[in-house]
Amino acid sequence: MGTAPASRDVTSYGMGLAAPLALFFLVFFVAPLLQLLWLSLHNDTAALHWGFGQYLHFLTDPFSLGVLGSTLLLGAEVTAVCLVLGFPIAWLYQRVGPRLQTIIILIVLLPLLTSVVVRTFAWIVILGRQGIINATLQSLGIIDTPLKLLYTQFGVVIALAQVQMPLMTLPLITALGRIDPNLDDASCSLGAGSWRTFFRVVLPLSLPGVIAGCTLTYAAAITAFITQSLIGGGQMLFMPMYLYQQASTLQNWPFASAISIIFLLAVLAVVSVFTTLGRMSRGYGGA
Amino acid sequence: MAETQGGRSLVVDAVTHRYPSGALAVENINLDIKGGEIIALLGPSGCGKTTLLRIIAGFIAQSQGRIIIGDDIVDALPPNRRAVGIVFQNYALFPHLSISENVGYGLAARGVDKATRQREAQRLLELVQLPTMSERLPRQLSGGQQQRVALARALAIKPSILLLDEPFAALDKNLRLDMQIEVKRLQRVSGITTLIVTHDQEEALSMADRVAVLSHGKLEQFGSPSDVYDRPQTLFVNTFVGASNRMPGVVVSADRTAAKVRLDAGAEIIARPAGGALTEGGRVTVCIRPEHLQFVGDETGFAGVVGMSLPLGATVVHEVTTADGSGVKVSQARIGETRALESGAAVRLAPLAPSLANAFPATL
Ligand SMILES: Nc1ncnc2c1ncn2[C@@H]1O[C@H](COP(=O)(O)OP(=O)(O)OP(=O)(O)O)[C@@H](O)[C@H]1O
Ligand SMILES: [Mg+2]
């Protein structure tokens, strides 16, 4: 026994095993990002003259700032809808039998299993002027003229919320599953009603899941190019489409690069706000 | 202490519970508990102790029967309106709240203002001897300390009944003894009617005024510790509470107070009919505790061969094989120089007194 080597500390394994991933990351992520940064620091489309002109242009242009603002707002709205709808689903999941749990998981995952194009066209069918909603409401006599649902902020938010729901629900299910069920009972036996128990015990303890879910949903919602463009139509412009137009249609690569860098920083800022909020609420670590 | 209000009485009236899965967890349990008593619910794993506790607390609605606290039938009340304090086996402290907030949680739910809450929490933490821990989080406390906090949290709502589910199971032996004494002290001071669930018979016998022994969801016996230990009413109680030798035999003659039993091991002894009337010629199981057997020099008693002797400190336990091949244990106090018994020595054994052998009708 004396000669048997002690099991090696995990940290002592060489970093070599991570090399393939690191290389992949370097070639396909870091390098393009640096190239993007390099491009964005040129004032002309041919990328000959250095300068901060593209950034200056974006940050002083009300139109560009408007697009950025509405994109960030869109993300916030989708995240809020997903949170409000996803929490009850996750909560329900932890309180039903195993058979219902399987069904719930299946329903939650369903959007991920459908092609984005099919899913988006389904929404067009549902939300359109002659779509399912308008047809139903009209035949019931609730409305006379069709509501405008497609090509509206509302439509985009609903369609995105449906797609991103799993990103919110899955972390929530995990977080709620980690809460000791006795805590519910303890709270109740101490005289707290269901709402107090929810706000004082369940919600704070599920915060890690809320933060993770919000971050994922937010990041996915603001970058969802296809859904944004098809449901939003021509009248609504969000950052991914704006970027695409600049790069592809107008061939203004430096400006497109600057847009992506600004977009990236804005998203990072929002995400770090989420994480800071999470750290400030000392809601986890126990159990 | 201010809350010496004399705990309320608790009646468990013909309670039966069947889980939706079909498992019959408790069956026709009747307990009549006086205000201020400490009761132990004792039984092996899976006998329905936790189920009964959760029914009393209101987390489970029983299939049949009633729960009466004081003068009120509480079956229709949700747990948060029963004023029943409960300490969970894993403590179930709120991990994100400070110790002080944990203890004050029940008061907050009752709308008590923050200053009062903190004062009360501090008073209770002093009571459970943790006055300096109020700002810590539960994970920064040891198991025994968390246990005390859980107790303080349950006491903060001035419950009329206190329920403890295996409260000391996770503690090491010394700490367990400390906490047992502590809980008993707090219970005496506050006078709260207390129900302790345990599968540790020593704990039940030492802490409780009365012990309810459960087996397979049924109440086997409900009586004082000495009743349960010395006058067990069923074979299960006799063998589960304390150690006991089981010796099969046949009834030779019997009346209400005494039975003459011919043991298969080969002797006639007088035993107490413990589980109801015995019929002549019927098979019985006689229970005799190891400390109630003695070596006899004459021809009374039954013969056996000594197998092994284990010196256990204050006592010596001898394993003896009887004529019918079954083994019995005999425990002898170690007074001065106990007679050394060689392995293989032939001995004769007899009960110390007729009242110390209990005869139960044999069940097949
Ligand atoms: N939620 C449940 N659904 C179905 N059956 C259950 C449930 N909880 C407990 N049971 C069953 O009911 C019986 C009693 O369980 P209970 O938890 O009350 O036992 P216990 O005496 O507390 O045991 P332990 O000492 O191991 O804690 C067991 O047979 C158990 O399998
Ligand atoms: Mg139990």
Side-chain angles (χ1 to χ4, degrees):
Chain A
M1 275 306 285
T3 55
S7 71
R8 280 173 72 186
D9 184 352
V10 280
T11 54
S12 74
Y13 287 107
M15 297 303 280
L17 288 178
L21 180 65
L23 196 69
F24 184 87
F25 199 64
L26 216 66
V27 172
F28 293 104
F29 185 70
V30 177
L33 200 64
L34 287 176
Q35 197 192 2
L36 211 62
L37 192 65
W38 179 84
L39 256 179
S40 71
L41 290 172
H42 289 85
N43 286 348
D44 58 330
T45 35
L48 296 171
H49 305 282
W50 291 88
F52 290 101
Q54 309 294 357
Y55 291 94
L56 218 60
H57 176 211
F58 188 99
L59 294 174
T60 52
D61 175 24
F63 179 77
S64 299
L65 287 176
V67 174
L68 178 64
S70 62
T71 309
L72 297 181
L73 183 66
L74 176 73
E77 287 173 351
V78 173
T79 307
V81 171
C82 283
L83 184 60
V84 170
L85 296 181
F87 210 106
I89 296 175
W91 191 87
L92 193 70
Y93 177 88
Q94 297 298 350
R95 273 162 187 74
V96 297
R99 203 168 317 146
L100 268 177
Q101 284 190 332
T102 318
I103 296 177
I104 292 180
I105 277 289
L106 202 72
I107 294 175
V108 165
L109 288 180
L110 214 54
L112 288 184
L113 306 176
T114 337
S115 141
V116 62
V117 178
V118 173
R119 204 167 50 206
T120 309
F121 276 106
W123 274 110
I124 293 179
V125 172
I126 294 170
L127 298 174
R129 272 185 72 84
Q130 318 296 317
I132 296 171
I133 294 182
N134 275 321
T136 312
L137 289 181
Q138 274 178 311
S139 69
L140 289 176
I142 295 172
I143 53 168
D144 296 329
T145 46
L147 297 172
K148 187 168 160 55
L149 301 169
L150 201 59
Y151 311 135
T152 62
Q153 180 90 358
F154 171 81
V156 178
V157 169
I158 290 298
L160 280 176
Q162 188 242 342
V163 184
Q164 320 299 1
M165 193 63 87
L167 300 179
M168 180 63 85
T169 318
L170 293 179
L172 285 178
I173 284 178
T174 315
L176 287 178
R178 284 215 199 101
I179 302 177
D180 174 6
N182 277 340
L183 294 183
D184 260 15
D185 291 346
S187 169
C188 197
S189 75
L190 289 168
S194 323
W195 286 109
R196 173 177 284 272
T197 303
F198 179 78
F199 282 111
R200 296 284 288 147
V201 179
V202 179
L203 192 58
L205 288 175
S206 66
L207 267 185
V210 172
I211 306 281
C214 286
T215 312
L216 289 173
T217 313
Y218 191 86
I222 57 175
T223 52
F225 179 68
I226 296 178
T227 312
Q228 284 175 2
S229 317
L230 290 182
I231 310 276
Q235 290 112 315
M236 259 178 297
L237 189 58
F238 298 106
M239 288 297 269
M241 187 58 172
Y242 189 37
L243 216 161
Y244 176 78
Q245 287 174 351
Q246 293 299 324
S248 217
T249 320
L250 302 175
Q251 295 288 316
N252 189 352
W253 289 92
F255 188 51
S257 307
I259 293 178
S260 12
I261 298 285
I262 290 172
F263 191 33
L264 186 69
L265 291 178
V267 175
L268 281 180
V270 172
V271 168
S272 59
V273 168
F274 280 140
T275 11
T276 317
L277 278 180
R279 215 170 300 132
M280 264 160 48
S281 58
R282 43 177 182 154
Y284 42 95
Chain B
M1 215 162 92
E3 59 251 39
T4 309
Q5 46 187 216
R8 298 222 276 161
S9 64
L10 168 66
V11 176
V12 176
D13 181 21
V15 167
T16 294
H17 186 69
R18 189 182 286 281
Y19 278 105
S21 64
L24 189 60
V26 296
E27 195 180 344
N28 193 24
I29 303 275
N30 288 287
L31 295 173
D32 195 338
I33 298 164
K34 293 193 279 288
E37 269 190 306
I38 300 195
I39 301 297
L41 274 182
L42 177 65
S45 189
C47 70
K49 306 181 295 289
T50 300
T51 305
L52 188 56
L53 210 66
R54 295 177 66 82
I55 289 172
I56 296 169
F59 298 128
I60 302 178
Q62 68 271 27
S63 324
Q64 279 163 43
R66 296 182 303 172
I67 301 292
I68 303 160
I69 296 177
D71 300 321
D72 310 316
I73 298 173
V74 296
D75 297 327
L77 292 183
N80 56 344
R81 298 195 26 227
R82 288 197 182 185
V84 169
I86 180 161
V87 176
F88 294 86
Q89 179 172 345
N90 66 352
Y91 319 134
L93 296 179
F94 304 119
H96 58 303
L97 299 180
S98 72
I99 296 309
S100 166
E101 287 167 331
N102 261 284
V103 176
Y105 187 93
L107 297 175
R110 283 164 175 70
V112 175
D113 66 273
K114 190 158 187 202
T116 316
R117 234 150 62 202
Q118 277 177 342
R119 217 177 322 117
E120 185 65 10
Q122 191 54 37
R123 189 183 70 77
L124 283 157
L125 286 174
E126 272 159 32
L127 192 71
V128 297
Q129 302 175 353
L130 291 174
T132 59
M133 307 281 178
S134 58
E135 289 317 308
R136 293 206 198 169
L137 289 176
R139 63 170 171 276
Q140 296 166 321
L141 263 53
S142 74
Q145 290 168 335
Q146 292 188 22
Q147 169 91 71
R148 286 161 199 256
V149 175
L151 196 60
R153 184 178 70 175
L155 290 174
I157 61 168
K158 297 189 168 60
S160 48
I161 311 278
L162 184 61
L163 306 176
L164 306 145
D165 192 357
E166 310 243 4
F168 315 116
L171 306 179
D172 65 51
K173 205 171 170 191
N174 287 331
L175 196 53
R176 192 179 320 162
L177 195 62
D178 283 351
M179 282 306 296
Q180 286 170 350
I181 294 168
E182 182 90 3
V183 166
K184 188 133 181 166
R185 178 178 70 84
L186 287 173
Q187 197 274 343
R188 287 277 175 269
V189 182
S190 61
I192 297 174
T193 313
T194 302
L195 205 63
I196 299 181
V197 161
T198 177
H199 57 240
D200 175 351
Q201 39 151 320
E202 280 178 31
E203 185 168 292
L205 296 178
S206 66
M207 291 192 69
D209 298 322
R210 284 193 290 163
V211 180
V213 186
L214 295 176
S215 162
H216 293 298
K218 292 205 192 71
L219 185 63
E220 295 273 332
Q221 187 167 358
F222 184 34
S224 69
S226 58
D227 270 350
V228 168
Y229 192 84
D230 297 326
R231 287 172 292 282
Q233 283 168 0
T234 66
L235 181 60
F236 174 82
V237 174
N238 204 153
T239 47
F240 184 74
V241 183
S244 202
N245 294 304
R246 297 168 61 154
M247 307 192 67
V250 180
V251 179
V252 176
S253 65
D255 60 27
R256 257 171 23 87
T257 56
K260 188 185 273 185
V261 176
R262 165 130 215 108
L263 296 177
D264 294 356
E268 259 176 31
I269 62 163
I270 306 293
R272 190 176 71 92
L278 296 176
T279 50
E280 247 165 66
R283 303 258 330 144
V284 287
T285 303
V286 177
C287 287
I288 311 172
R289 297 195 186 280
E291 66 269 29
H292 294 157
L293 276 174
Q294 61 179 348
F295 294 105
V296 287
D298 51 22
E299 288 302 295
T300 61
F302 53 90
V305 177
V306 176
M308 208 196 296
S309 294
L310 303 170
L312 299 176
T315 58
V316 183
V317 172
H318 309 284
E319 280 190 344
V320 176
T321 309
T322 58
D324 64 332
S326 55
V328 294
K329 289 195 175 66
V330 185
S331 136
Q332 253 188 327
R334 195 145 149 183
I335 319 158
E337 194 163 336
T338 345
R339 187 160 56 112
L341 280 172
E342 293 293 323
S343 181
V347 291
R348 294 195 83 83
L349 289 167
L352 281 171
S355 64
L356 297 176
N358 295 312
F360 301 94
T363 47
L364 293 175

